[in-house]
Amino acid sequence: MLSVIIPAYNEEEIIPKTVSVIDGILVGADIEHELLFINDGSKDRTWERISEAAASNTRVRGVSFSRNFGKESAIFAGLSEAKGDCCVVIDCDLQHPPEKIVEMYRLWEQGYDIVEGVKASRGKESGLHKFAAESFYNIMSNSMGFDMSRASDFKLLDRKAVNVLLNMNEKNAFFRALSSWIGFKSTQVEYDVREREVGTSKWSTRSLIKYALTNITSFTSAPMQIVTILGIIVFIVGLATSIEAIVRFFQGTAQAGFTTVIILQCFTGSFIMIGLGIIGFYISKIYDEVKGRPKYIIDKTV
Ligand code: UDP
Ligand code: MG
């Protein structure tokens, strides 16, 4: 059986259509399936729409969070609730072409464990958004060692890959990167991102920045090193000014006592910064490990 995982946050207008389109395509292709909606603490009537769909179609199931936990958590809740031999994660707004699920499923039948949907184009995005997205994917690609620029959450995972992801203890799991990081026999399917038909993007600029920062820090500790690098730069400047101050002292052009102040100031400053960088690095590691909080809290299911 195929489980289709659909995170939904304030998507009341499109749920009935999403159900009929995806269900229709999969019934048409004769693929046994379930549609698993995860209501990510929506403030509109999304949960009512999901409940209605579940009441009229036995293949539809729904899980509702106690509050908004974010798309990543919704995906992981879906993976954990899914009963299928393979799972597909797809957006609720039909921006990911549902026909591609059939193509992905056929590849899975041929023995692929992971079928990644990669964006042939990024769809319409403003200049600044495009630049920010590119920078984010550059940092991610560099720290992970493989190209992430066209990656998306639209993918099919075999049961064994799903189990590996579920057994990870990481709290800040970044689905689209982790699912590549785990390896397995994988292939790609290209798709064009469609325009959103109804509603608006659920991402505010602020939530996107937060999303980028969490994911960067969960995959690389590079930002922590900035403090250390700053410390080293200040140290070099300090060394130069100290030498100048000493030379002035021996030339007799320095004011009395001023030399010592400069030297002490520069060296202590740079050592504190280097020290903070190193300590911060370790704290960030410990912090990641000790947060034993759940990724999400389920309120009700249908
Ligand atoms: N979504 C979610 N929780 C959130 C934000 C978004 O479950 O906090 C879902 C949303 O309902 C949709 C998918 O994630 O199914 C992608 O969201 P959206 O279309 O707003 O993102 P975009 O396509 O603009 O990247
Ligand atoms: Mg969308």
Side-chain angles (χ1 to χ4, degrees), residues 7 9 11 40 68 71 91-93 95 196 201-203:
Y9 176 55
E11 304 277 12
D40 186 9
N68 180 254
K71 189 183 178 189
D91 279 3
C92 189
D93 54 12
Q95 279 187 294
R196 197 181 234 282
S201 176
K202 304 297 176 261
W203 295 93

Side-chain angles (χ1 to χ4, degrees), residues 1-3 19 23 27 32-37 50-62 83 302:
M1 189 178 69
L2 165 72
S3 298
V19 172
D23 194 50
V27 168
E32 198 199 341
H33 64 278
E34 64 171 353
L35 301 186
L36 179 55
F37 282 92
I50 296 172
S51 307
E52 286 158 21
S56 60
N57 185 338
T58 50
R59 289 183 293 268
V60 177
R61 289 204 287 142
K83 298 200 174 87
V302 286

